[in-house]
């Protein structure tokens, strides 16, 4: 079994993102309701966050609730929002103990008032922490993010704040939800699905992708270490040749 101690401390992914998939199917396999899977998925979030802190990951972004997830049954959506609020309250002490700063991206205004207030409170109380930045993608969709960025830039062009010929990657980055985050180095998706599902489409342009055939509630230290070791064994060329890198 892979252990955190097996990871080389050099060449770690600075920014790791995870599509936490498979809660519902995990519960169904056990003859339980989908809610049971989400409840156990929360436990996996806790252990994964703590393990990433131990490993030395600087930025961790979790795909927590997508814009498409609003289309799920009302009871499931309400349960997910309830779990979000209760988890934030429970984990505040752990965040501060581990020097974790909480961040969020997405259309947060679409969340219930209670969830918005809890998020704001925990982000305020962890705002001065200097360790890992944990970002929850909530009511998030990459296409919506890009659409919002384009509208903001267009308004500034119209008002002569930005000149069209000056629009570059930096300006686009500065209008995204992730403007204060580096690009993703490693993207992990659980459950065996091999798709991105509208997650950080701009930010993963050069990310290493790692898909694992394990439902999220079963994702553990061994799987996390395996993903990072796999990343460390890859050659990231960014369009260059191997000879140029050496």
């Amino acid at each position: 079994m892979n252990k955190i101690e097996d990871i080389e401390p050099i060449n770690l992914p600075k920014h790791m993102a995870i599509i936490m998939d498979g809660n519902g199917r995990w519960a169904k396999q056990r003859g339980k309701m989908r809610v049971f899977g989400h409840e156990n998925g929360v436990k996996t979030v806790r252990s994964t966050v703590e393990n990433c802190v131990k490993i030395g990951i600087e930025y961790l972004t979790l795909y927590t609730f997508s814009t498409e997830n609003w289309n799920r049954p009302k009871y499931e959506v309400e349960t997910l929002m309830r779990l979000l609020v209760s988890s934030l309250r429970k984990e505040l002490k752990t965040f501060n103990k581990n020097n974790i700063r909480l961040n969020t991206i997405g259309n947060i205004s679409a969340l219930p008032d209670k969830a918005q207030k809890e998020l704001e409170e925990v982000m305020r109380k962890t705002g001065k922490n200097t360790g890992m930045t944990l970002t929850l993608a909530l009511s998030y969709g990459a296409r919506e993010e890009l659409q919002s960025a384009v509208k903001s830039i267009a308004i500034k062009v119209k008002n002569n704040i930005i000149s069209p010929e000056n629009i570059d990657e930096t300006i686009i980055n500065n209008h995204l939800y992730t403007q204060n985050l580096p690009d993703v180095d490693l993207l992990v998706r659980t459950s065996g699905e091999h798709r991105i599902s509208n997650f950080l489409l701009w930010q993963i342009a050069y990310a290493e992708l790692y898909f694992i055939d394990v439902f999220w509630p079963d994702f553990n230290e061994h799987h996390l270490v395996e993903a990072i070791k796999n990343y460390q064994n890859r050659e990231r060329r960014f369009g260059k040749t191997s000879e140029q890198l050496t």
Side-chain angles (χ1 to χ4, degrees):
M1 292 287 285
N2 289 312
K3 293 290 184 181
I4 290 176
E5 295 74 21
D6 298 330
I7 295 178
E8 291 290 336
I10 58 173
N11 190 30
L12 290 173
K14 183 174 184 179
H15 186 179
M16 181 174 175
I18 304 178
I19 300 176
M20 308 178 293
D21 193 25
N23 288 342
R25 281 167 287 167
W26 182 88
K28 188 176 180 180
Q29 280 185 349
R30 289 156 176 76
K32 304 283 188 179
M33 294 181 64
R34 292 174 59 85
V35 172
F36 180 71
H38 295 312
E39 290 171 344
N40 280 271
V42 169
K43 298 175 184 176
T44 303
V45 170
R46 182 185 301 116
S47 61
T48 300
V49 168
E50 291 182 340
N51 283 332
C52 282
V53 169
K54 293 176 184 176
I55 291 168
I57 303 299
E58 294 182 47
Y59 297 88
L60 174 65
T61 299
L62 303 178
Y63 204 5
T64 310
F65 191 88
S66 73
T67 49
E68 291 76 21
N69 286 156
W70 290 113
N71 297 318
R72 291 189 174 186
K74 183 180 178 182
Y75 174 71
E76 184 172 348
V77 171
E78 289 176 346
T79 298
L80 287 168
M81 291 299 112
R82 174 180 58 78
L83 282 172
L84 171 63
V85 171
S86 62
S87 297
L88 287 169
R89 288 176 179 170
K90 291 177 182 177
E91 299 305 320
L92 176 57
K93 188 175 181 179
T94 302
F95 290 160
N96 285 326
K97 177 184 175 183
N98 289 286
N99 199 24
I100 297 170
R101 182 176 73 88
L102 184 69
N103 181 48
T104 185
I105 56 173
N107 182 14
I108 306 306
S109 62
L111 300 176
D113 290 343
K114 200 170 185 179
Q116 291 185 50
K117 290 177 182 177
E118 200 65 40
L119 271 170
E120 290 170 3
E121 181 74 1
V122 176
M123 286 193 290
R124 182 181 66 81
K125 290 183 176 179
T126 62
K128 293 183 179 180
N129 291 343
T130 57
M132 186 178 76
T133 296
L134 171 63
T135 300
L136 303 182
L138 292 160
S139 190
Y140 174 88
R143 287 186 172 183
E144 182 180 79
E145 176 184 30
L146 291 169
Q147 179 182 323
S148 175
V150 170
K151 285 182 178 178
S152 296
I153 294 171
I155 290 172
K156 290 182 179 179
V157 169
K158 183 179 179 181
N159 294 327
N160 296 316
I161 298 172
I162 295 176
S163 178
E165 57 268 20
N166 290 333
I167 297 174
D168 56 11
E169 285 191 19
T170 299
I171 286 180
I172 294 173
N173 276 326
N174 289 340
H175 289 81
L176 296 174
Y177 295 141
T178 55
Q179 57 187 270
N180 296 317
L181 301 175
D183 282 347
V184 176
D185 297 304
L186 172 62
L187 173 67
V188 174
R189 179 170 188 149
T190 61
S191 88
E193 301 290 357
H194 289 205
R195 56 177 177 268
I196 305 305
S197 296
N198 198 21
F199 185 47
L200 301 174
L201 299 180
W202 174 274
Q203 298 85 346
I204 63 169
Y206 281 101
E208 297 298 322
L209 309 183
Y210 183 84
F211 302 101
I212 181 170
D213 193 14
V214 170
F215 292 137
W216 178 246
D218 286 332
F219 188 81
N220 57 29
E221 178 184 334
H222 165 76
H223 301 121
L224 176 64
V225 172
E226 190 176 62
I228 292 175
K229 289 177 70 175
N230 182 279
Y231 167 87
Q232 292 181 320
N233 287 325
R234 298 188 190 185
E235 183 181 65
R236 306 186 74 202
R237 295 189 296 276
F238 299 97
K240 297 180 180 180
T241 65
S242 298
E243 289 74 20
Q244 285 177 297
L245 294 178
T246 58

